[in-house]
């Protein structure tokens, strides 16, 4: 019996040794402080995260300069020029001088024709039928000014003129040529019942006039 017990113990020893080799070896964990030394080789204290100092650095700006000792430059160094330098203006912009009489671009007086009407008055309306550029005209009835300065726009505008027996001469004098020569307009004439009795157009240089005759019996 004693021999049998000893045999079993000797038989179990290899299995116990093999079982111990399967366990991992326990090694002590060594934790050291990070950033132990700074750039100068001195011992670093505090947190392991290297944070930049916002207090110890010297300011790069000399605030005494802002007191007038040195001018503060808000713009980069460069040669500044006067506003409008090298700007070119289109000569067509702005009031134009009238063309000289006899030149190819001069538009002289125009006779618009005549019309008969026995009404009490006529309504005369004008508009710039081309480029609206500031054309202005003066309207006369039998050499009497009835509208001294009418600005021609894209819409019709005008006046009523009382008719006299005989000839009623209407003159439209171009006061300017606007920014695009010549002075251009469409003129419509309505009787006292609102019916259109006449329409025409003119091209005038500054100072020229268009004439319409209305005959009343």
């Amino acid at each position: 019996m004693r021999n049998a017990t000893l045999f079993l113990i000797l038989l179990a020893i290899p299995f116990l040794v093999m079982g111990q080799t399967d366990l991992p070896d326990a090694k002590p964990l060594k934790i050291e402080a990070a950033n132990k030394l700074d750039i100068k080789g001195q011992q670093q204290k505090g947190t392991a995260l290297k944070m930049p100092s916002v207090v110890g650095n010297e300011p790069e700006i000399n605030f005494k300069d802002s007191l007038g000792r040195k001018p503060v430059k808000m713009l980069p160094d460069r040669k500044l020029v006067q506003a409008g330098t090298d700007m070119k203006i289109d000569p067509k912009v702005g009031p134009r001088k009238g063309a000289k009489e006899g030149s190819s671009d001069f538009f002289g007086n125009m006779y618009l024709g005549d019309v008969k009407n026995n009404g009490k008055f006529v309504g005369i309306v004008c508009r710039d039928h081309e480029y609206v550029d500031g054309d202005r005209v003066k309207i006369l009835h039998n050499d009497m000014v009835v509208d001294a300065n009418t600005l021609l726009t894209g819409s019709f505008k005008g006046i009523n003129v009382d008719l006299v027996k005989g000839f009623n001469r209407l003159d439209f004098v171009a006061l300017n040529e606007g920014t695009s020569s010549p002075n251009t307009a469409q003129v419509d004439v309505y009787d006292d019942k609102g019916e259109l009795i006449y329409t025409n157009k003119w091209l005038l240089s500054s100072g020229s006039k268009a004439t319409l005759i209305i005959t009343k019996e």
Side-chain angles (χ1 to χ4, degrees):
M1 183 66 181
R2 185 177 182 181
N3 292 335
T5 302
L6 180 61
F7 175 77
L8 292 175
I9 293 173
L10 294 175
L11 184 62
I13 289 174
F15 293 98
L16 294 175
V17 174
M18 292 180 61
Q20 291 178 354
T21 57
D22 292 340
L23 297 176
D25 296 335
K27 295 182 179 181
L29 180 62
K30 185 178 181 180
I31 301 176
E32 297 181 358
N35 298 330
K36 294 171 60 178
L37 300 178
D38 61 9
I39 298 176
K40 298 181 180 180
Q42 297 178 356
Q43 186 176 0
Q44 190 80 350
K45 297 181 180 180
T47 178
L49 181 61
K50 178 64 176 178
M51 299 292 293
S53 175
V54 295
V55 178
N57 294 335
E58 293 292 333
E60 298 179 357
I61 300 176
N62 184 1
F63 293 101
K64 293 182 179 180
D65 293 345
S66 62
L67 299 178
R69 296 183 180 182
K70 294 182 180 180
V72 179
K73 296 182 179 181
M74 303 301 293
L75 296 175
D77 291 334
R78 62 188 179 192
K79 185 178 179 180
L80 300 179
V81 296
Q82 181 67 26
T85 301
D86 298 331
M87 183 178 66
K88 297 181 180 180
I89 300 177
D90 189 343
K92 293 183 180 180
V93 177
R96 292 176 54 90
K97 295 182 179 179
K100 293 182 179 180
E101 187 173 356
S103 63
S104 58
D105 56 350
F106 178 79
F107 295 86
N109 297 337
M110 290 183 60
Y111 179 64
L112 299 177
D114 58 85
V115 62
K116 292 182 179 181
N117 186 264
N118 292 326
K120 183 178 180 180
F121 65 90
V122 291
I124 302 170
V125 294
C126 307
R127 72 178 180 95
D128 195 334
H129 69 286
E130 293 189 359
Y131 179 70
V132 178
D133 57 343
D135 291 339
R136 294 180 292 110
V137 295
K138 179 171 61 175
I139 304 176
L140 299 92
H141 176 219
N142 290 341
D143 296 328
M144 299 291 294
V145 177
V146 292
D147 194 328
N149 192 341
T150 297
L151 176 64
L152 300 177
T153 64
S155 302
F156 281 105
K157 61 172 60 176
I159 57 173
N160 292 334
V161 176
D162 294 331
L163 296 178
V164 297
K165 289 186 178 180
F167 294 103
N168 293 266
R169 175 173 173 163
L170 297 173
D171 292 318
F172 305 89
V173 182
L175 298 177
N176 68 344
E177 299 177 19
T179 59
S180 178
S181 180
N183 185 303
T184 57
Q186 174 185 349
V187 55
D188 290 350
V189 180
Y190 293 84
D191 62 14
D192 55 2
K193 297 180 178 61
E195 298 292 333
L196 179 65
I197 60 174
Y198 178 84
T199 183
N200 208 335
K201 299 176 182 179
W202 72 61
L203 302 174
L204 300 174
S205 292
S206 181
S208 299
K209 62 183 177 181
T211 302
L212 170 65
I213 302 295
I214 300 178
T215 304
K216 180 178 179 179
E217 298 178 351

